[in-house]
Amino acid sequence: IQWGTLTNGFWHRVIDNDFSHQLTFSIEELVTGDFAAGAVLITFGALLGRTSPLQMIAIVGLELIFYSLSEAIGVLEHQAVDMGGSIYVHTFGAYFGLACSLVLGMTRRRNNGHVSTKFNGSDRTSDRFAMVGAIVLWIFWPSFNGALAVGASQHRVVINTVLALSASCVMAFAASAYLRPHHKLSMVDIQNATLAGQLSFVEKWMRDKRGEGGVGFVCVCVCVCVFFVCSSCSLFPSPFLPSSLSSFP
């Protein structure tokens, strides 16, 4: 959070070409640092169990520099509104993680190295902790999305987020029970999909609350179905993405 706050303030001053005053720390700066930390956590999802702690520290330092540059260009140059962080936080973090995996995989193959895959997966203990984290995020997300909004816009962001989360949660359980063998719920589906709907909400044009719930339903259906197909179908075995992108292991 501290490094993200500093890099974000630096790039904003570079874009504005204004270094006349020092960096200040307020609630807004701390929230933007929280957003930056969120992008790093999303990147970690593509790298946990595959990199050393030292590599993770280096990735954090580099990622926040480019994250802050991307956010400053989008906000100041293009005036792009991304109240929920779908573009600047989630999309950037996901693609940065894939890029890191690709680069590290190419390096390992060039050096004829081998990385153990025994930590690249989940077990009962990690699933429990992940579910606790998903519950915390579910509760925290309306305030996370609406932290930087003002006035009626903030109310609309919070309401839309709650509606999208509620629709996502209901549909995640229904889709998982319908698709999985013996109609048993899958913990991985619940963790992935209960938060999916709110990532696509657009505060500015989503005035109809029924539409926000519909977005939540559609996003969860896509999320669960794609994950189910990729993990179950012989055409897309589990290592399909790593082998296609030359990522490791």
Side-chain angles (χ1 to χ4, degrees):
I1 293 176
Q2 295 92 328
W3 179 235
T5 303
L6 292 174
T7 56
N8 192 69
F10 171 78
W11 285 118
H12 274 249
R13 280 159 176 75
V14 170
I15 299 297
D16 287 335
N17 195 24
D18 180 16
F19 291 91
S20 60
H21 56 280
Q22 296 179 339
L23 291 174
T24 59
F25 287 92
S26 63
I27 297 297
E28 182 176 350
E29 276 71 32
L30 291 178
V31 171
T32 57
D34 198 12
F35 286 0
V40 172
L41 293 176
I42 293 169
T43 298
F44 279 10
L47 301 173
L48 282 176
R50 310 176 188 182
T51 54
S52 67
L54 184 59
Q55 288 174 320
M56 297 296 273
I57 293 174
I59 289 171
V60 170
L62 291 174
E63 177 178 5
L64 289 180
I65 294 174
F66 295 107
Y67 162 82
S68 299
L69 175 61
S70 171
E71 189 268 347
I73 293 174
V75 171
L76 299 178
E77 291 291 327
H78 300 292
Q79 301 293 313
V81 177
D82 185 31
M83 200 60 67
S86 299
I87 303 172
Y88 303 136
V89 179
H90 300 97
T91 304
F92 180 88
Y95 279 103
F96 194 91
L98 289 175
C100 288
S101 183
L102 173 63
V103 171
L104 291 172
M106 294 171 60
T107 303
R108 294 299 177 101
R109 282 185 171 82
R110 189 180 300 116
N111 297 332
N112 294 321
H114 174 72
V115 181
S116 174
T117 62
K118 65 179 181 179
F119 297 116
N120 186 15
S122 62
D123 55 27
R124 292 177 65 87
T125 301
S126 65
D127 276 338
R128 289 193 185 98
F129 277 103
M131 196 64 208
V132 172
I135 293 172
V136 172
L137 285 174
W138 203 95
I139 298 171
F140 174 63
W141 223 292
S143 59
F144 180 87
N145 279 354
L148 297 181
V150 294
S153 178
Q154 187 177 61
H155 296 162
R156 191 161 54 248
V157 169
V158 172
I159 292 172
N160 285 348
T161 303
V162 171
L163 291 176
L165 285 172
S166 301
S168 298
C169 188
V170 172
M171 193 60 191
F173 281 88
S176 181
Y178 178 76
L179 291 173
R180 292 298 173 178
H182 309 295
H183 301 293
K184 295 182 66 176
L185 296 174
S186 170
M187 186 71 78
V188 177
D189 291 338
I190 305 304
Q191 294 163 7
N192 287 338
T194 49
L195 303 173
Q198 69 82 31
L199 297 180
S200 63
F201 97 97
V202 182
E203 176 270 339
K204 285 297 183 181
W205 61 264
M206 192 60 72
R207 309 287 179 146
D208 189 346
K209 308 310 175 189
R210 294 170 298 178
E212 190 56 47
V215 168
F217 276 109
V218 172
C219 288
V220 169
C221 287
V222 173
C223 179
V224 175
C225 290
V226 170
F227 186 83
F228 174 76
V229 170
C230 290
S231 61
S232 303
C233 181
S234 60
L235 294 177
F236 301 101
S238 185
F240 169 72
L241 185 60
S243 62
S244 300
L245 296 180
S246 299
S247 55
F248 78 94

